[in-house]
Amino acid sequence: MSQPPTRPRSNRILAAAPREEYERLLPHLEYVELRRGDVLHGAGEHISHVYFPYSGTVSVTVQMRDGRELEVGVVGREGMIGLPLVLGTDTAPFKSFAQVSGGAMRAAAETFRREVGRGGGLFGLLLRYAQTFFVATAQTAACNRLHTVEGRLARWLLTTRDRAESDELDLTHDFLAAMLGVRRAGVTEAVGVLKSRGMIGLSRGHISILDAEGLGRASCECYGVVREEYDRLIAERRLGTPA
């Protein structure tokens, strides 16, 4: 089994799992590096592994027939990739790929399915996480329709910061435009506004978050709604030794 780097950041789902269930799953977990752009699974593909990110972020996106792509979810160390297996299917409805490079623990789908099939505490925890993910997806849909690009960008940057646990993000305007489903010119204008207010710093292909509190005030309400839902449903209980 591949070993994680020294003192890795723990995944909160694994940290909150009942000890007996966690220890039963641990021998089947493998540490993997996720580099930006790595596809974990495509839309319609069979899910071969589940992933519990330690660091970095994973984007969940919908792809249209004309090739356009829109982000509907972001997953970091608070969650996992492979929720359809929890809900009884082994096909991925959406594409998942590494947005910010990092590491994750992964397990084979069959092994994971056997463990959650026991119906224990881990299964209940994952159902609660599924609820938070669906709330975030619905909130994102409403946000994309009703809120300004500036507010949506602030929300997106804060969400990605929370998931990646870093103020330094490698992001281009083209990538942001694709994830937010807007024209590049709109993103450029919104980035300029946030920069002029001293909330972010810019360099080629890179954004530094300088004022998270300011971004919180600039963000639309959706950031707070999703964060509160996660805090309400997911209670972290760290284990003695991280996975």
Side-chain angles (χ1 to χ4, degrees), residues 130-151:
Q131 167 74 3
T132 66
F133 187 82
F134 294 151
V135 168
T137 301
Q139 198 73 32
T140 297
C143 183
N144 288 343
R145 175 66 179 84
L146 300 174
H147 294 150
T148 66
V149 175
E150 179 186 322

Side-chain angles (χ1 to χ4, degrees), residues 32 74 113 151 173-174 185 190 208 213 217 227 243:
V32 292
V74 182
R113 199 203 303 266
H173 288 198
D174 286 334
S208 300
E213 289 187 5
R217 292 190 293 270
R227 185 165 184 169

Side-chain angles (χ1 to χ4, degrees), residues 189-203 210 215:
E189 181 178 351
V191 166
V193 170
L194 299 181
K195 181 177 183 296
S196 69
R197 296 177 182 174
M199 298 175 187
I200 61 174
L202 297 176
S203 59
L210 307 177
L215 274 181

